[in-house]
Amino acid sequence: MASQLDLTTSAITCVSASLSVLSGLAILWSYRQFPQLQNFTRYLLVCLTVADIFTAYGNFISTFRWFSNGNNATKTDGFCIAQSFLTTTSTLSSFFWTTAIAVYLFSAVALRVNIAEKPGVKLSMTAIPIIVPVTITGVALGYGALGEDDYFGSGPWCWINRDVNNRLMWKVVTGKGWEIMTYILTLVIYILLKFFKWRESRRHNRQFSWSDTDLSLRDADEIFEISWLFLLVARIWGTLRFFLETFDVHPGDKLQNTLLCMQCIGDSSQAFWNFIFFFTLDPELRKEIRHLICLRLHGLVHVHCSL
């Protein structure tokens, strides 16, 4: 039978991933339901959310492997490799689209160049975060790097085969290197955006809004300025475990298990955090949803509705 820690982390992952999938589907629904709120920023958010849904789904189905197989789940099998390919690819795509959003907003706000309007840019910013991760993960698959890692770097899901040569290199190439790069790039870009807003506000002696530079931007999109923060909060636990393993640091079982549990929550919850910040905290979206609900109630009990 699997250990108590295995069962606990599997249960945590299952709950976190389930919330993430449902939250991600709500974001996709809102994008389709309210075309008046669509712009390129939210289009990239949809792409990011799809990637996060796949990650959460892969982590979710991996928990059933632990629940059903117990200790036999520590052996690499076809299901494990397929799940690792899915979640490794989707996680890399998530990093790429997070960076793409930051680059697009910086170009539109600070440089006053809407790159989305240039021929081929939308296609490129959609295709590259898919093609490059698939290529990276495909190479890892070809070298037999994907498989069961026995919790060395992940939770109850498969990632890098614990028996592969140069395991540290594969972890950097298939995830951690891109993850840390995403932290740094998005933090720098959003600091520059903050500085630009401050400078423009002082220059014009009024509060600067993103829509002042490009009418295709919504003021509600300014919440993306802190997207790097909740990406960091969600995934820092796995990164800390990665560095502890890399430098052969052993802080004790209690801290190790705590970091593992936090990683099981964070690595599966990104679509949920997207929902919190870009769905529930979007005033225009909340207004449209309230109006939609009111219209539905109006058909039932004749409630008066107005925007």
Side-chain angles (χ1 to χ4, degrees), residues 168-236:
L168 176 61
M169 183 265 300
W170 284 114
K171 288 186 176 182
V172 172
V173 171
T174 63
K176 288 304 172 184
W178 297 102
E179 179 178 339
I180 294 169
M181 190 184 305
T182 300
Y183 295 153
I184 297 172
L185 285 175
T186 54
L187 174 58
V188 170
I189 287 173
Y190 289 127
I191 287 175
L192 291 175
L193 277 175
K194 277 290 188 182
F195 172 76
F196 176 81
K197 285 178 59 179
W198 172 80
R199 188 186 67 181
E200 290 298 304
S201 296
R202 290 200 59 181
R203 177 183 297 176
H204 299 288
N205 198 28
R206 64 178 179 84
Q207 184 65 35
F208 172 79
S209 298
W210 285 12
S211 57
D212 293 339
T213 61
D214 194 320
L215 293 178
S216 67
L217 292 175
R218 301 165 54 243
D219 291 339
D221 291 337
E222 295 188 27
I223 193 70
F224 281 95
E225 287 181 333
I226 61 171
S227 62
W228 65 272
L229 179 59
F230 62 81
L231 174 67
L232 179 66
V233 170
R235 297 196 61 94
I236 190 63

Side-chain angles (χ1 to χ4, degrees), residues 255-279:
L255 179 56
Q256 289 273 33
N257 294 343
T258 299
L259 290 176
L260 174 58
C261 290
M262 293 302 296
Q263 182 181 2
C264 290
I265 296 173
D267 282 14
S268 304
S269 67
Q270 291 177 83
F272 172 74
W273 289 110
N274 289 347
F275 172 80
I276 295 296
F277 283 92
F278 305 123
F279 188 102

Side-chain angles (χ1 to χ4, degrees), residues 29-304:
W29 168 83
S30 68
Y31 184 80
R32 180 185 178 90
Q33 184 68 37
F34 306 112
Q36 65 272 29
L37 301 183
Q38 294 177 7
N39 59 11
F40 193 62
T41 310
R42 293 200 72 82
Y43 169 78
L44 291 176
L45 173 64
V46 165
C47 294
L48 170 64
T49 300
V50 170
D52 291 338
I53 288 174
F54 275 111
T55 300
Y57 175 73
N59 291 350
F60 175 79
I61 61 176
S62 71
T63 62
F64 290 97
R65 178 169 172 265
W66 275 103
F67 284 128
S68 61
N69 293 349
N71 288 333
N72 291 329
T74 60
K75 299 178 181 179
T76 295
D77 52 26
F79 179 92
C80 174
I81 294 173
Q83 176 263 295
S84 177
F85 186 92
L86 172 67
T87 53
T88 301
T89 301
S90 60
T91 300
L92 286 172
S93 293
S94 179
F95 298 148
F96 275 68
W97 270 312
T98 299
T99 305
I101 292 172
V103 170
Y104 166 69
L105 291 175
F106 182 78
S107 67
V109 176
L111 303 181
R112 298 178 185 268
V113 177
N114 192 331
I115 58 177
E117 297 176 352
K118 297 185 178 297
V121 170
K122 183 174 183 178
L123 177 61
S124 298
M125 295 185 78
T126 304
I128 290 175
I130 298 175
I131 295 173
V132 175
V134 168
T135 302
I136 293 172
T137 313
V139 172
L141 176 65
Y143 278 91
L146 304 181
E148 175 59 56
D149 66 353
D150 199 21
Y151 281 82
F152 284 102
S154 73
W157 57 89
C158 297
W159 184 26
I160 299 300
N161 193 330
R162 65 175 180 267
D163 298 322
V164 72
N165 294 328
N166 301 316
R167 189 175 63 180
L168 176 61
M169 183 265 300
W170 284 114
K171 288 186 176 182
V172 172
V173 171
T174 63
K176 288 304 172 184
W178 297 102
E179 179 178 339
I180 294 169
M181 190 184 305
T182 300
Y183 295 153
I184 297 172
L185 285 175
T186 54
L187 174 58
V188 170
I189 287 173
Y190 289 127
I191 287 175
L192 291 175
L193 277 175
K194 277 290 188 182
F195 172 76
F196 176 81
K197 285 178 59 179
W198 172 80
R199 188 186 67 181
E200 290 298 304
S201 296
R202 290 200 59 181
R203 177 183 297 176
H204 299 288
N205 198 28
R206 64 178 179 84
Q207 184 65 35
F208 172 79
S209 298
W210 285 12
S211 57
D212 293 339
T213 61
D214 194 320
L215 293 178
S216 67
L217 292 175
R218 301 165 54 243
D219 291 339
D221 291 337
E222 295 188 27
I223 193 70
F224 281 95
E225 287 181 333
I226 61 171
S227 62
W228 65 272
L229 179 59
F230 62 81
L231 174 67
L232 179 66
V233 170
R235 297 196 61 94
I236 190 63
W237 319 105
T239 303
L240 289 174
R241 292 184 67 223
F242 167 75
F243 281 119
L244 290 175
E245 180 191 356
T246 300
F247 296 106
D248 197 27
V249 177
H250 304 281
D253 290 343
K254 185 174 182 179
L255 179 56
Q256 289 273 33
N257 294 343
T258 299
L259 290 176
L260 174 58
C261 290
M262 293 302 296
Q263 182 181 2
C264 290
I265 296 173
D267 282 14
S268 304
S269 67
Q270 291 177 83
F272 172 74
W273 289 110
N274 289 347
F275 172 80
I276 295 296
F277 283 92
F278 305 123
F279 188 102
T280 63
L281 296 183
D282 187 320
E284 293 180 47
L285 180 56
R286 291 202 310 270
K287 181 178 179 181
E288 293 293 342
I289 291 175
R290 286 197 302 268
H291 185 62
L292 178 63
I293 293 173
C294 187
L295 289 176
R296 297 290 171 85
L297 291 175
H298 176 71
L300 296 175
V301 294
H302 304 293
V303 176
H304 176 70

